[in-house]
Amino acid sequence: MKQQLEQLLASALASLAGSVLPEAPAPGVATVERTRDAKHGDFATNVALRLAKAARSNPRELAERIVAALPASPLVERTQIAGQGFINFFLARAAFGSELAAIHELGASYGHSMLGKGERVLLEFVSANPTGPLHVGHGRQAAYGATLANILSATGFEVAREYYINDAGRQVEILAVSAWVRYLTACGEALPFPENGYRGEYVRGIAETLHATCGEGLRREAGAVLAGLPADAPAGNKEIYIDALIARARQLIGAEAFTHVLELSLAEMLADIREDLEQFGVRFDRWYSEKALEKSGAIERALARLEREGRLYRSEGAIWFRATEFGDEKDRVVVRENGQKTYFASDIAYHLEKRERGFERLIDVLGADHHGYVARVRAGLTAMGEPGECLEVNLIQFVSLFRGGEKVPMGKREAQFVTLRQLREEVGNDACRLFYLMRSHDQPLDFDLELAKSRTNENPVYYIQYAHARVASVMKQLTARGLAFDRDEGLAHAALLTGAHEQAVLASLARYGEALEQAAANRAPHALVHYLRELANTLHTYYNAEQFIVEDSRVRNARLALVIGVQQVIRNGLTLLGVSAPDSM
């Protein structure tokens, strides 16, 4: 409805160009918004106030000319000019019947639009270091990214989903040496586990696989491993110790064997992550390796481009990027004194490569601890001649689990964390997906485990799914009574839906497309969750107040057409959220 009104308004403005208006207004000027008070109609626009200066006209007088130029439409019952020049639109009752018919006709595609106009978007999300299982924080990123991709696709964007694998850094070397130490222990060697190693049980699993594939071929005596190493924490420095231990492993088993340990560890973790996400209903179009980025020459190309633009300089043996010239708080090292390229160099090269693949908009979904990331990567893009505003970074705030009112302790390196798999197994995928999305991504989330498992109206998952199942139950009752639903008769008599509850349901249904576009434009999947909860509430209220299966077939089929419309919209919304729509609860 909103789009149709905006089209009517755009036509009126176009017809006034060259006479009342000096020229046709730019696209996007003809906008309407829902009113907060039904006394002011269903929709309103302030376009007359915005164009009055250009038209050299009093806003109310301009509003009158705009209203007079509006094309006739069965959608609009009447208009009203209010205040200094607001135009209020009162919709005809038949408009809501037409919207209900559209739901039945379009089915799963109802609510879809071309808001994005085919803009190519690369959405990168999760991208967790493959050094351990996904934890509950990664789960929130996964639910947000996957749902945002669905919403953007439904509103006319061309979306590609990508996972960036950080497989070229020091962290995977720490994972490898952690697995090797566990392997040595399994072989019977007695040596302490490094304070800076990965302690989770999953590392023992990698060690078992390593032993199964290599036997004792990688075994070395504990004395040879530990001889001459610097002290570990707490007496020494755990960072220095772990680096020395990695170097010792390479020395004792050889670079080729250490690479084998690293690649096996990486493969095990990636397989676990892929399986976890697949079972969570999260899929990617591409898994992009940092190693592959380096081998492709993309990093060298990016640095050469910065060099040509005069954006690099040498200092203290390192190569620096003049990031402060582009709004960053300080200049950034791209090549260290030892010739090793930094993570930042990889980051800007990766984003340049995204642009080279033809993506107009780059959306990164990252953890809350990446707040300094945006300015520096935008600086890099701008310095290489790309528009900095093409990059959006949505930071996902932390998740806290609560059980019985008590906060569950979590810490990844110490292996005190709850994995995404454990959470899914306890509360189910549906509760995981929807609870993750209930709040805006930029707000911390308190995840109540007991509420997520409850079968009460306070649980939003249950409440929304129950609305869908209730309609299915009504249709089963209809069949049990030997009756059949006549959709054509129901839609033909939608004008009989005059009750207060019916009008509320019709009005709520008509807001779905707007809610979807709002969620897309604001990158806010939680807006869709809130809409579905409100729609479910109108259905439950209607269900408790009225009988649907009545004697008069016209009223019966009209009411059934209405609640089936609700069921369809709930199913559409839940599908975008990655949540099931059961027919029974």
Side-chain angles (χ1 to χ4, degrees):
M1 290 182 178
K2 183 176 186 290
Q3 292 177 345
Q4 291 173 276
L5 286 176
E6 288 176 343
Q7 290 171 1
L8 292 174
L9 189 58
S11 295
L13 295 176
S15 70
L16 297 176
S19 55
V20 176
L21 298 173
E23 58 184 4
V29 171
T31 58
V32 300
E33 299 296 336
R34 281 196 176 269
T35 60
R36 295 182 179 179
D37 189 339
K39 294 178 182 178
H40 300 146
D42 298 287
F43 290 89
T45 180
N46 66 351
V47 69
L49 283 76
R50 286 185 285 143
L51 296 179
K53 185 176 180 180
R56 297 182 179 180
S57 173
N58 176 283
R60 279 192 68 92
E61 293 177 358
L62 179 57
E64 291 172 358
R65 300 293 294 273
I66 293 172
V67 167
L70 285 170
S73 171
L75 186 69
V76 181
E77 181 178 277
R78 64 186 178 91
T79 58
Q80 176 191 75
I81 298 172
Q84 296 179 335
F86 290 94
I87 302 173
N88 298 333
F89 294 89
F90 294 78
L91 299 183
R93 182 173 294 176
F96 293 98
S98 297
E99 198 70 15
L100 180 59
I103 295 171
H104 282 267
E105 180 182 350
L106 297 174
S109 64
Y110 175 74
H112 290 197
S113 71
M114 283 305 296
L115 174 72
K117 300 177 182 177
E119 181 180 33
R120 295 194 68 204
V121 175
L122 183 59
L123 182 57
E124 180 208 337
F125 60 106
V126 185
S127 297
N129 284 340
T131 53
L134 298 177
H135 56 63
V136 294
H138 297 136
R140 190 180 189 190
Q141 294 178 36
Y144 175 84
T147 303
L148 180 60
N150 292 341
I151 290 171
L152 291 175
S153 296
T155 51
F157 294 85
E158 185 182 332
V159 182
R161 301 156 174 84
E162 193 154 290
Y163 187 116
Y164 184 65
I165 308 168
N166 296 105
D167 55 1
R170 177 170 174 264
Q171 295 306 314
V172 291
E173 292 185 336
I174 295 176
L175 174 67
V177 82
S178 300
W180 185 59
V181 170
R182 291 299 191 201
Y183 160 86
L184 292 177
T185 303
C187 289
E189 297 294 331
L191 70 168
F193 193 80
E195 288 295 322
N196 208 26
Y198 289 99
R199 296 178 173 275
E201 283 299 310
Y202 63 91
V203 180
R204 297 183 190 275
I206 297 172
E208 291 173 3
T209 303
L210 191 60
H211 193 274
T213 57
C214 298
E216 298 206 353
L218 300 178
R219 181 176 182 177
R220 299 294 184 271
E221 292 184 0
V225 175
L226 300 174
L229 289 182
D232 197 1
N237 185 305
K238 65 181 182 180
E239 299 289 350
I240 294 174
Y241 179 82
I242 198 75
D243 287 341
L245 184 59
I246 291 169
R248 179 60 52 82
R250 278 202 174 93
Q251 175 194 346
L252 291 177
I253 66 176
E256 184 177 341
F258 186 79
T259 298
H260 172 72
V261 175
L262 188 150
E263 290 180 347
L264 183 146
S265 302
L266 185 63
E268 289 283 302
M269 291 318 309
L270 279 175
D272 183 81
I273 290 170
R274 285 176 186 262
E275 180 184 20
D276 206 2
L277 290 170
E278 182 73 24
Q279 291 176 356
F280 195 35
V282 177
R283 299 171 184 84
F284 293 90
D285 298 304
R286 184 174 184 177
W287 293 70
Y288 197 110
S289 163
E290 183 183 356
K291 284 183 179 177
L293 178 75
E294 189 168 351
K295 288 179 181 178
S296 71
I299 301 176
E300 293 294 345
R301 289 198 309 273
L303 294 179
R305 194 159 167 177
L306 289 172
E307 185 75 60
R308 287 195 304 271
E309 297 294 330
R311 307 304 184 187
L312 301 180
Y313 65 93
R314 276 76 179 165
S315 178
E316 301 175 349
I319 301 176
W320 297 69
F321 164 54
R322 302 180 190 275
T324 51
E325 295 181 0
F326 300 92
D328 198 4
E329 61 184 3
K330 62 181 180 179
D331 289 349
R332 305 286 175 178
V333 176
V334 289
V335 183
R336 296 189 181 95
E337 300 92 321
N338 60 5
Q340 186 177 7
K341 299 176 183 68
T342 62
Y343 282 122
F344 174 66
S346 298
D347 287 339
I348 59 174
Y350 176 43
H351 286 80
L352 175 62
E353 196 270 353
K354 290 179 180 181
R355 291 285 295 175
E356 291 173 341
R357 281 188 270 156
F359 290 100
E360 302 162 75
R361 186 165 302 278
L362 315 178
I363 302 179
D364 292 357
V365 177
L366 302 173
D369 54 346
H370 288 74
H371 54 84
Y373 185 88
V374 187
R376 70 187 69 163
V377 177
R378 277 185 180 159
L381 284 168
T382 304
M384 291 184 290
E386 300 293 334
E389 64 273 12
C390 74
L391 174 65
E392 295 179 22
V393 179
N394 293 324
L395 300 180
I396 310 300
Q397 291 296 319
F398 298 104
V399 178
S400 297
L401 295 183
F402 285 82
R403 188 190 305 280
E406 296 292 326
K407 188 174 181 179
V408 179
M410 290 186 285
K412 185 177 180 184
R413 183 64 61 84
E414 296 77 18
Q416 291 181 337
F417 62 91
V418 177
T419 66
L420 173 61
R421 183 175 283 110
Q422 289 169 333
L423 181 62
R424 292 192 297 103
E425 288 173 352
E426 179 169 352
V427 305
N429 272 1
D430 286 345
C432 271
R433 289 291 290 251
L434 198 133
F435 266 63
Y436 275 137
L437 298 168
M438 283 195 305
R439 291 178 68 86
S440 175
H441 66 277
D442 58 6
Q443 297 178 11
L445 175 68
D446 291 343
F447 195 119
D448 187 329
L449 294 166
E450 301 307 321
L451 177 62
K453 292 184 290 185
S454 70
R455 295 174 64 83
T456 66
N457 289 344
E458 285 70 37
N459 181 350
V461 188
Y462 178 84
Y463 193 66
I464 295 170
Q465 289 180 324
Y466 187 38
H468 185 277
R470 260 188 159 169
V471 178
S473 175
V474 169
M475 299 311 291
K476 289 176 185 176
Q477 293 173 33
L478 185 74
T479 302
R481 295 190 188 185
L483 300 171
F485 169 55
D486 187 331
R487 187 182 76 170
D488 291 340
E489 182 179 56
L491 295 176
H493 292 89
L496 297 176
L497 301 171
T498 58
H501 295 302
E502 292 163 338
Q503 290 295 300
V505 174
L506 284 167
S508 186
L509 283 175
R511 287 184 49 245
Y512 176 62
E514 298 163 44
L516 199 52
E517 289 197 346
Q518 178 191 1
N522 297 330
R523 316 299 193 238
H526 69 279
L528 180 56
V529 177
H530 293 169
Y531 166 80
L532 291 177
R533 199 170 183 175
E534 291 169 6
L535 178 60
N537 181 61
T538 63
L539 185 281
H540 290 310
T541 303
Y542 182 30
Y543 181 94
N544 293 331
E546 301 283 354
Q547 290 291 323
F548 301 153
I549 305 174
V550 295
E551 288 298 321
D552 188 329
S553 68
R554 299 172 306 162
V555 175
R556 179 176 70 241
N557 284 309
R559 289 179 175 177
L560 292 175
L562 179 58
V563 296
I564 291 172
V566 173
Q567 186 187 47
Q568 180 69 64
V569 169
I570 287 177
R571 185 161 59 246
N572 290 0
L574 288 177
T575 298
L576 294 177
L577 297 174
V579 177
S580 68
D583 285 339
S584 61
M585 299 288 288

